[in-house]
Amino acid sequence: MSEETRSETYAELASVGPYGVRPGHALITMVEPHPGHEYAYNRWYEDDHYYAGAMAMPWMYAGRRWVATRGLQDLRGPEKSAVARPVTAGCYLSTYWITEGRYDDHMKWTVGINKRLNRDARVHQERTHVFTAFQDHETTVYRDGAAGPRDFHALDHPYAGLILQVIDSEGPAERSELLERLRTRDLPRRLTGSPAAMVTIFRPTPLPGDRMTYVKQVEGVDTRLTLLWFLERDPRECWTEHFADLETLGAGAGRVELVAPFIPTVPGTDRYVDELR
């Protein structure tokens, strides 16, 4: 394909399809660098992969990276988690928003670019994907109603912390019931007076068959909800008062399989790397 033809193709693709700002989809990936490779992993991800493997791709319009120091890992629950084994696994979390209605377009590009990155030896192998899934957005619940940042601002707004929460239900119907209960009752009550400004709720989607072999197929496609709590305070400062009992959220309608607090990384630095173990 000539350079001119490629340019024309880009212009044609940009002229069709949705291009709103709503985060219709997300990539949420929690990764554990192998012992002894923490610094190398951090530099590879920040200096190369965050951009070449994510933000440079079409329709992935916002991203942020988070870290769990050992102290934050020790706040996690439940001890026997279906997501993280052990529950402390996965000290780095990356979150990305994808334009609503552009999941298929983005996925074609991401599979292609990751094959190229592997071929070009630009993939750090000394890591384990603990929880990696593309997700469809279900709803966002706000503490302050129409005031304050919206969910499409969330990865650019300087939030001081984030909680990743995973809840499983018994089946698709039960998940719908759980979602409605969280949206209308449990989350509004929890958010009132708390340092969490919003909670976004997603449901996982299956990865394509030609995904990278080091990423396992997504579990709980029909039964799982993924919640992201965006905090205005460092979770270590307010955990006991506001979030220590999050394992009971949705009790009777769902089963909490992970509650994991994080703080934002400082891009371009190795801050917190020496606090992971």
Side-chain angles (χ1 to χ4, degrees):
M1 182 183 296
S2 69
E3 185 68 32
E4 181 179 356
T5 301
R6 282 199 297 269
S7 297
E8 291 175 354
T9 301
Y10 279 120
E12 180 182 347
L13 292 173
S15 69
V16 297
Y19 63 112
V21 300
R22 184 175 182 270
H25 321 275
L27 171 60
I28 301 171
T29 174
M30 185 169 69
V31 172
E32 179 72 12
H34 296 171
H37 296 268
E38 295 87 352
Y39 282 94
Y41 169 79
N42 190 53
R43 291 274 44 86
W44 163 76
Y45 202 101
E46 286 203 344
D47 296 345
D48 189 9
H49 198 63
Y50 177 84
Y51 301 104
M55 295 305 299
M57 297 191 200
W59 309 115
M60 183 171 271
Y61 69 89
R64 196 167 192 190
R65 197 159 172 255
W66 314 82
V67 61
T69 62
R70 184 67 205 192
L72 285 164
Q73 296 168 38
D74 289 340
L75 297 176
R76 292 182 181 181
E79 183 178 353
K80 293 184 178 180
S81 167
V83 175
R85 304 181 184 91
V87 72
T88 53
C91 54
Y92 281 107
L93 177 72
S94 295
T95 51
Y96 302 97
W97 291 165
I98 300 168
T99 303
E100 183 176 29
R102 290 293 191 172
Y103 174 79
D104 291 340
D105 297 340
H106 173 80
M107 187 57 63
K108 290 176 183 177
W109 187 284
T110 194
V111 169
I113 198 66
N114 275 286
K115 287 181 178 179
R116 182 178 178 184
L117 291 171
N118 269 279
R119 187 173 64 247
D120 294 345
R122 287 175 63 181
V123 174
H124 187 88
Q125 301 294 344
E126 298 297 330
R127 77 200 197 281
T128 298
H129 281 263
V130 178
F131 178 75
T132 293
F134 284 88
Q135 315 247 354
D136 285 342
H137 181 250
E138 286 285 1
T139 192
T140 299
V141 181
Y142 296 98
R143 182 192 61 201
D144 302 325
R150 303 292 88 189
D151 49 17
F152 49 84
H153 300 122
L155 301 185
D156 295 306
H157 187 80
Y159 284 113
L162 177 140
I163 301 170
L164 169 66
Q165 184 171 23
V166 179
I167 308 178
D168 284 344
S169 59
E170 292 300 322
E174 289 83 357
R175 182 173 68 178
S176 295
E177 295 171 3
L178 172 62
L179 175 63
E180 184 64 12
R181 171 176 160 176
L182 291 173
R183 184 184 68 82
T184 62
R185 191 177 78 185
D186 291 2
L187 289 178
R189 177 174 56 84
R190 286 271 186 169
L191 285 170
T192 300
S194 86
M198 73 176 82
V199 180
T200 59
I201 306 180
F202 295 87
R203 56 179 172 84
T205 60
L207 288 169
D210 54 354
R211 71 189 185 279
M212 297 299 101
T213 56
Y214 50 77
V215 182
K216 66 181 180 180
Q217 187 53 273
V218 176
E219 300 173 344
V221 169
D222 296 321
T223 58
R224 179 166 286 178
L225 292 175
T226 304
L227 284 65
L228 298 178
W229 298 67
F230 289 90
L231 312 185
E232 295 173 328
R233 293 171 58 191
D234 186 316
R236 293 168 293 191
E237 300 173 358
C238 52
W239 191 258
T240 300
E241 181 181 0
H242 292 283
F243 304 113
D245 64 342
L246 273 187
E247 289 180 41
T248 66
L249 186 69
R255 181 178 64 259
V256 173
E257 292 291 359
L258 182 67
V259 177
F262 293 84
I263 54 177
T265 61
V266 181
T269 77
D270 289 318
R271 189 173 179 183
Y272 305 118
V273 176
D274 60 353
E275 300 178 42
L276 301 179
R277 309 302 181 194

